[in-house]
């Protein structure tokens, strides 16, 4: 009782150590399998395999999720590529439009220079007009003085008025001179008037030119505004593409983060499965050792009688040898009396249990079955049981109950499939047993 408790405690401590020490410190050496029976090891292996299968399912789900996210990530990547192409496209258009705006501005600046020059021409002409007018005014003043003096002074004085008081005593014909002077003066004034008129005309032309230039400039400025609006439109489209690309980039990053998280979880599960597999391998190795130790193949064959495994039953449905019905070699005999289902199956001869398969595996031919090693290379097999009452490594005596007749495995009705083998080769059981 205490020994059993200690075994269970050791087992618990081992499992606890595996669980709490974490995966990294795990080593198959931790398997204290010598403390466990073959059946307990078998249970552990089953449990570990089940755990691995559960993790395998999770891994499959993660792989599905990763593949899905990879696909979405690729789709979003294509969208980003598309938006980046648009960004390049609109950025180019905006650049070219800006060049056009600058060219237009240069044109406008050129016109402005022309306008400024025209303005200078106008001002220059205006100045000339004013000078000519001042000259004309002065001349008119002077002429008026002469005429006034002519009518108010003596002819002698006129000379002194026109030529000053000194020096011109050689002048003899005063009237002629006076006439001449007035005529010259008129001519001069007429010339001034003509000059002024020409200048006025020039100025007018300059003003017209300037006005035309200003109209041209206005037209160019309107064109520039249109170009600038177009550029703004391209800038705005570029901005839209940038925001879209940013948004897709965020989605891309999220998918990548999800994939990374899934990959991490998957790697952890795979690592757990690998270490678990190492534990399974260690347990299986231990199980093999137990079975080998139990079966003692070099143990001498125990002489003596073999007993019929199902006393009172003797209806043979299939004999040893070629089974023409199933077209295959039948390795034992099938005992299938009506009502045999659930009958106890007795061990034919003393030996050690080397196989006790509890698990019903659908499609597996033997179903639940037991193999007993009798030493000297002799074994007996009891198959298609409904239940097993033996465990691997168990020493069994002749007549011990190994299990019960059933219909598990590749079987078409309750029966016992009984085999005798020598060094693994099936032989006819009737060479050893007789119906009893
Ligand atoms: Zn059979």
């Amino acid at each position: 009782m205490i020994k059993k408790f200690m075994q269970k405690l050791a087992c618990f401590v081992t499992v606890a150590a595996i669980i709490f020490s974490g995966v990294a410190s795990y080593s198959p050496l931790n398997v204290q399998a010598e403390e466990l029976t073959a059946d307990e090891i078998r249970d552990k292996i089953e449990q570990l395999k089940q755990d691995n299968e559960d993790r395998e399912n999770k891994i499959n789900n993660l792989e599905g999720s990763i593949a899905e996210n990879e696909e979405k990530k690729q789709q979003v990547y294509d969208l980003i590529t598309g938006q980046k192409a648009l960004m390049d496209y609109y950025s180019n258009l905006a650049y070219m439009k800006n060049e056009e705006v600058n060219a237009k501005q240069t044109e406008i600046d050129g016109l402005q220079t022309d306008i400024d020059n025209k303005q200078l021409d106008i001002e220059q002409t205006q100045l000339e007009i004013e000078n000519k007018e001042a000259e004309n005014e002065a001349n008119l003043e002077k002429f008026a003085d002469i005429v006034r003096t002519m009518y108010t002074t003596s002819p002698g004085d006129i000379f002194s008025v026109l030529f000053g008081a000194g020096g011109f005593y050689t002048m003899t014909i005063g009237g002629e001179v006076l006439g001449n002077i007035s005529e010259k003066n008129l001519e001069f004034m007429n010339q001034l008037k003509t000059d002024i008129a020409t200048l006025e005309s020039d100025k007018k032309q300059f003003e017209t030119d300037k006005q035309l230039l200003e109209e041209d400039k206005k037209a160019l400025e309107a064109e520039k505004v249109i170009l600038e609006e177009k550029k703004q439109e391209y800038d705005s489209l570029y901005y839209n593409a940038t925001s879209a690309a940013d948004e897709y980039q965020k989605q891309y990053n999220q998918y990548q983060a999800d994939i990374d998280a899934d990959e991490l979880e998957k790697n952890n599960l795979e690592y757990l499965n690998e270490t678990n597999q190492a534990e399974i391998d260690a347990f299986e190795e231990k199980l093999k050792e137990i079975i080998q130790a139990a079966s003692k193949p070099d143990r001498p064959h125990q002489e003596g009688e073999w007993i019929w495994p199902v006393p009172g039953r003797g209806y043979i449905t299939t004999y040893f040898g070629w089974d023409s019905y199933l077209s295959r070699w039948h390795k034992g005999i099938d005992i299938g009396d009506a009502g045999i289902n659930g009958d106890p199956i007795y061990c034919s001869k003393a030996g050690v249990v080397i196989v006790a398969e509890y698990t019903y595996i659908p499609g597996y031919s033997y179903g639940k079955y037991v193999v007993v090693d009798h030493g000297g290379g002799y074994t007996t097999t009891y198959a298609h049981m409904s239940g097993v009452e033996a465990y691997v490594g168990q020493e069994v005596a002749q007549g011990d109950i190994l299990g019960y007749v059933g219909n598990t495995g590749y079987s078409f009705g309750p029966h016992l499939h009984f085999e005798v083998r020598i060094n693994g080769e099936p032989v006819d059981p009737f060479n050893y047993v007789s119906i009893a």
Side-chain angles (χ1 to χ4, degrees), residues 133-243:
E133 275 173 348
E135 214 178 322
N136 190 33
E137 198 95 348
N139 220 44
L140 255 170
E141 265 328 289
K142 206 195 262 178
F143 187 67
D145 281 351
I146 289 169
V147 172
R148 267 195 302 272
T149 312
M150 237 167 55
Y151 287 100
T152 55
T153 58
S154 62
D157 287 335
I158 289 166
F159 286 109
S160 62
V161 168
L162 286 172
F163 305 108
F168 289 97
Y169 39 84
T170 51
M171 296 286 180
T172 49
I173 315 160
E176 257 179 58
V177 171
L178 184 64
N180 222 359
I181 285 166
S182 58
E183 199 177 312
K184 281 234 158 76
N185 209 339
L186 275 172
E187 215 173 277
F188 179 64
M189 286 196 300
N190 280 338
Q191 185 56 49
L192 275 178
K193 275 182 183 162
T194 310
D195 288 353
I196 288 167
T198 305
L199 285 169
E200 287 284 7
S201 162
D202 285 354
K203 190 188 157 200
K204 214 167 199 166
Q205 186 57 52
F206 290 148
E207 276 167 349
T208 307
D209 290 351
K210 190 189 160 199
Q211 202 174 341
L212 286 174
L213 286 170
E214 270 167 351
E215 276 165 20
D216 285 354
K217 190 189 158 201
K218 222 174 195 169
L220 287 180
E221 274 166 347
E223 283 169 26
K224 190 190 157 200
V225 166
I226 289 165
L227 290 172
E228 277 170 342
E229 279 169 2
K230 201 73 197 165
K231 192 212 166 233
Q232 261 170 14
E233 197 184 314
Y234 292 143
D235 282 344
S236 147
L237 287 166
Y238 171 82
Y239 175 78
N240 289 349
T242 308
S243 326

Side-chain angles (χ1 to χ4, degrees), residues 28-163:
L29 294 175
N30 290 352
V31 177
Q32 300 295 315
E34 62 269 15
E35 305 286 346
L36 305 174
T37 67
D39 298 339
E40 283 167 338
I41 291 173
R42 198 190 277 268
D43 286 348
K44 284 199 173 301
I45 290 170
E46 277 309 310
Q47 186 55 54
L48 288 168
K49 280 184 175 169
Q50 188 57 55
D51 289 351
N52 272 14
E53 208 176 299
D54 292 348
R55 272 193 286 266
E56 208 53 61
N57 286 337
K58 280 184 196 160
I59 287 167
N60 284 342
N61 287 343
L62 285 170
E63 277 170 351
S65 158
I66 287 166
E68 209 173 288
N69 280 330
E70 284 286 1
E71 201 179 313
K72 285 182 190 161
K73 192 181 96 177
Q74 186 56 47
Q75 284 167 358
V76 166
Y77 179 81
D78 292 345
L79 290 173
I80 291 169
T81 309
Q83 292 302 326
K84 283 198 169 152
L86 280 180
M87 280 161 69
D88 282 351
Y89 178 67
Y90 288 127
S91 151
N92 261 340
L93 285 179
Y95 174 79
M96 288 191 294
K97 213 35 93 178
N98 198 50
E99 292 285 287
E100 284 182 51
V101 168
N102 289 341
K104 203 54 85 177
Q105 186 56 51
T106 306
E107 245 182 292
I108 289 165
D109 291 346
L111 275 185
Q112 187 57 53
T113 306
D114 290 350
I115 288 165
D116 291 346
N117 286 339
K118 223 35 109 172
Q119 183 59 36
L120 283 178
D121 287 347
I122 289 164
E123 280 164 15
Q124 183 60 38
T125 312
Q126 181 58 35
L127 207 64
E128 280 176 41
I129 288 166
E130 279 165 16
N131 285 341
K132 291 278 180 197
E133 275 173 348
E135 214 178 322
N136 190 33
E137 198 95 348
N139 220 44
L140 255 170
E141 265 328 289
K142 206 195 262 178
F143 187 67
D145 281 351
I146 289 169
V147 172
R148 267 195 302 272
T149 312
M150 237 167 55
Y151 287 100
T152 55
T153 58
S154 62
D157 287 335
I158 289 166
F159 286 109
S160 62
V161 168
L162 286 172
F163 305 108

Side-chain angles (χ1 to χ4, degrees), residues 317-319 328 330-335 366 383-384 410 415-419:
T317 52
T318 310
Y319 285 90
R328 63 171 189 182
H330 193 229
K331 292 168 183 166
I333 53 170
D334 290 346
I335 309 153
Y366 280 149
H384 309 304
Y410 191 73
H415 74 283
L416 171 66
H417 171 93
F418 178 65
E419 285 180 17

Side-chain angles (χ1 to χ4, degrees), residues 299-302 306 347 349-351 372-376 378-380 382:
R299 197 164 48 114
H301 175 55
Q302 300 190 15
W306 300 68
C347 189
K349 201 170 200 183
V372 179
D373 185 294
H374 306 290
Y378 287 86
T379 60
T380 47
Y382 311 81

